[in-house]
Amino acid sequence: MTDARPERRPAGPAEEGEGWWRHAVIYQVYVRSFADGNGDGIGDLAGIRARLPHLASLGVDAVWLTPFYTSPMADGGYDVADYRSVDPLFGDLAQFDALVADAHGAGLRIIVDIVPNHSSDEHTWFRQALAAPPGSPERARYLFRDGRGPDGSEPPNDWESVFGGPAWTRVTEADGRPGQWYLHLFDSKQPDFDWRNPEVRAEFADILRFWLDRGVDGFRIDVAHGLFKHPDLPDTGTKRSGMLDTSARPYWDQEEVHEVYREWRRILDSYPGQRIGVAEAWLPDTARLLRYLRPDELHQAFNFAFLTADWSAAAFLEVIDSTLATFDGHDSLPSWVLSNHDVTRHVTRYGGGEAGLRRARAAAMIMLALPGSAYVYQGEELGLEEVTDLPEDLLQDPTWERSGRTDRGRDGCRVPLPWAGHEPPYAFGPSAWLPAPPTWRAHTVDAQHGDADSVLNLYRTALRLRREFRHARRLRWLDAPDNVLDYATDSGLACTANMGTEPVEVIARGELLLASRPVERHGDRVVLAPDTAVWWRQ
Ligand code: GLC
Ligand code: CA
């Protein structure tokens, strides 16, 4: 710990009473692609520090940083070689401390990503495991097994990697012969830990303390549902289909994982200032997700059911209603998310082009009025689309190679942000590791800043208004025509969204506060064009 350790913690309206995270808006920074501070074309901590004013003026409460730890970057840093350091590409620990201090000074909390399911194959422990013989304590930190078949040349079971191909890779033993296999649910450069080994557990408890001591406000827990595998490592007998495949598997959502989060909660609670744990868990239903949010476990979990809902009033109503019903009577509140660094940007998912953008604007208003917290992925406040035509030789996501070059992977939502200017890379830095399209000229922060109708100003206004209504806990559905989503919260905010293809006339629900696009008023009636959301003060 250095002298730069911040003593000051943000204390805003959300600090009071029930816990800041319950109604917070948390902004996801994909570090590599946010802002380049030292001019090498790769986003870094210095770049984030320089651009904190953007986040403060946007009006979010906290920032989640994707992994910036020492890593060979086989999976954008989700392959960690040293959990207690900053990769030189992104800065150093002093810069991290300065970022935390600056963020806290600007009223923003900082959440860091922790990757407990797997390390990099370049982590000291994995190198030691490779050098040690089968059955050694070094191998017991990971999941090494003998292969099947007479010469052990078949993988130990039929599990597949989330990125494609088998989830096992065979190693060469010290004597030069083909040897055991190790499990990797993701890339072969991401060996899975054996969480039944107490040494692994102790190590991560210590890593959490390391970052809590440096002042972080919480952790986003990568693949939180994956840590434990069924002890028999049984075959599944079925193929899987990538990240969004939430079907039950002997490697997801095992009971033992909850004991780890109980321990982590005790650690978080032993620090002042309400430090939180957020689960990234892709599960078949919200009821399973809720088990991670029991009062002695984690604070929050991404609600991916909302993210995967199609653009229709029926689909949105279904997912919002069932989520809130599941949370009913529970101490926790849902968190809502439309995009992140693993999925196609929602402008594109909702159809792309003008229509996609209109829907994305309306979706933001639908999300930000809901009870609970919300996550905003960098660039969604600029209305960015997925970049679908990146040159193949620039693709970096391991999915591309592991799928036999059939799945282009997630690079299209990771293109560096456009800040200013008329030419790529739009002041991200002097260059950028992935090229931005010429259409982003109109999407830069600078271009949108002074335009009252821009997506950026819609987010700013919505986030400012939200503060007034943020303590909502409940929602009631209002009588709405077909294709219209219409609800009011117990904090006095109502949201009406026309998700159909025809204009609809609705009765005003109160004072019109905000509209995602212009509306026509006729006395106490308002006409909403297709893909339009409005907020009312009731
Ligand atoms: C999580 C991350 C994703 C990463 C994977 C493996 O799902 O969000 O980016 O590839 O875990 O760590
Ligand atoms: Ca850089």
Side-chain angles (χ1 to χ4, degrees), residues 246-265:
T246 56
S247 35
R249 305 271 171 185
Y251 43 79
W252 296 146
D253 199 26
Q254 303 292 298
E255 195 52 41
E256 294 91 328
V257 81
H258 295 286
E259 192 40 47
V260 171
Y261 298 134
R262 286 188 195 104
E263 179 190 351
W264 288 15
R265 179 60 177 257

Side-chain angles (χ1 to χ4, degrees), residues 178-218:
Q180 286 194 301
W181 298 71
Y182 67 89
L183 179 73
H184 52 88
L185 291 181
F186 294 87
D187 193 66
S188 54
K189 286 183 69 63
Q190 294 168 296
D192 282 46
F193 286 114
D194 184 351
W195 270 86
R196 294 177 200 283
N197 184 337
E199 221 188 321
V200 171
R201 211 161 139 163
E203 175 69 0
F204 273 91
D206 194 68
I207 293 166
L208 293 188
R209 290 198 182 90
F210 178 87
W211 294 104
L212 290 166
D213 285 341
R214 301 198 95 89
V216 306
D217 298 284

Side-chain angles (χ1 to χ4, degrees), residues 36-38 40 42 44 89:
D36 175 17
N38 69 348
D40 65 355
I42 295 173
D44 48 41
L89 205 54

Side-chain angles (χ1 to χ4, degrees), residues 2 29 77 81 139 147 170 195 225 227 312 386 458 473 488 500 510:
T2 68
V29 165
R139 288 220 170 161
R170 193 169 196 187
W195 270 86
H225 58 317
L227 276 41
S312 84
E386 184 82 0
L458 180 74
R473 293 200 69 99

